[in-house]
Amino acid sequence: LIDGLPLGQTVLETDLPFLRLAPSDRNLTGAEVELVPQERREYRLREALAQLTEVLDYIHSRGHVHCDVKPSNVLVRETGELYLLDFGLTNAFGSQGPFQGTPGYAAPEQILHEHVGPAADFYAAGIMLFEVLAGRKPFAGSEQQVLLDKVQFDPPDLSTLAPDQPADLVALCTQWLARDPKRRRPFAAP
């Protein structure tokens, strides 16, 4: 329960892919979101990324991987506080086995049933960041096609898709979306 409501009733989406508001907060309409200055949106994104990184670092420092980081599992209150939800797929470092997670946010190593560590959670965070910066996910198509593409191809060049976005966030996203988990610096804060 969050704010005294069952989990399924607590997360409402707005037009900002990364923003989640609880019903006790006033929900922003699409028109109101457009009135929020770009600088304020960027500030909120950076704050949310910093908090998500901190939460993931904490989970990882305890030897666990969330394995299902995605927008519906990230709650950002209107006050800016971030909560990571749904620990049902959490595994210990190095877990291998059948695929678990949400295909659109799963890391290549999850798809290939390889060693799953902290880098998998940061890959998922990278997918969310890509969505915010580019307005779409890096891979499109059927669920099967997305899974295959993640294993075979690098994501599209974000600096080309979203040239007006902050270079440091584009670089962070690119780093978090590296296919090789050893190339992801999981503890890089924005």
Side-chain angles (χ1 to χ4, degrees):
L1 294 177
I2 297 177
D3 291 337
L5 297 171
L7 184 60
Q9 294 179 8
T10 59
V11 179
L12 302 174
E13 293 190 16
T14 69
D15 290 338
L16 290 177
F18 203 80
L19 182 64
R20 301 289 180 258
L21 303 174
S24 60
D25 291 327
R26 192 176 73 73
N27 295 321
L28 298 176
T29 66
E32 289 173 318
V33 168
E34 290 304 316
L35 294 176
V36 176
Q38 180 61 35
E39 299 80 29
R40 178 74 179 138
R41 287 189 231 172
E42 183 180 331
Y43 172 79
R44 287 189 73 167
L45 173 60
R46 288 178 184 278
E47 285 295 309
L49 285 171
Q51 289 181 59
L52 181 59
T53 300
E54 186 177 344
V55 168
L56 291 175
D57 286 350
Y58 178 82
I59 295 166
H60 300 154
S61 73
R62 303 299 187 269
H64 296 283
V65 184
H66 188 278
C67 295
D68 202 23
V69 175
K70 59 185 178 181
S72 62
N73 286 341
V74 176
L75 175 76
V76 181
R77 302 284 308 259
E78 193 171 275
T79 59
E81 297 168 298
L82 181 138
Y83 301 90
L84 184 60
L85 311 174
D86 190 3
F87 288 80
L89 297 180
T90 302
N91 287 314
F93 284 1
S95 297
Q96 292 176 292
F99 172 75
Q100 292 185 5
T102 302
Y105 298 91
E109 60 271 23
Q110 285 175 279
I111 297 164
L112 295 171
H113 312 287
E114 295 176 348
H115 171 87
V116 175
D121 285 342
F122 283 96
Y123 185 90
I127 295 283
M128 292 192 311
L129 181 55
F130 191 101
E131 284 183 280
V132 171
L133 298 176
R136 68 174 185 90
K137 289 182 182 169
F139 300 101
S142 69
E143 190 173 281
Q144 197 68 16
Q145 187 62 53
V146 168
L147 293 174
L148 287 170
D149 287 351
K150 284 182 176 194
V151 171
Q152 296 177 346
F153 304 108
D154 291 325
D157 181 7
L158 187 54
S159 63
T160 302
L161 284 175
D164 296 334
Q165 296 295 348
D168 63 323
L169 293 180
V170 169
L172 178 65
C173 184
T174 301
Q175 175 188 22
W176 281 354
L177 290 178
R179 278 188 292 153
D180 180 356
K182 293 178 185 135
R183 290 186 44 223
R184 292 180 221 136
R185 286 187 6 222
F187 302 106

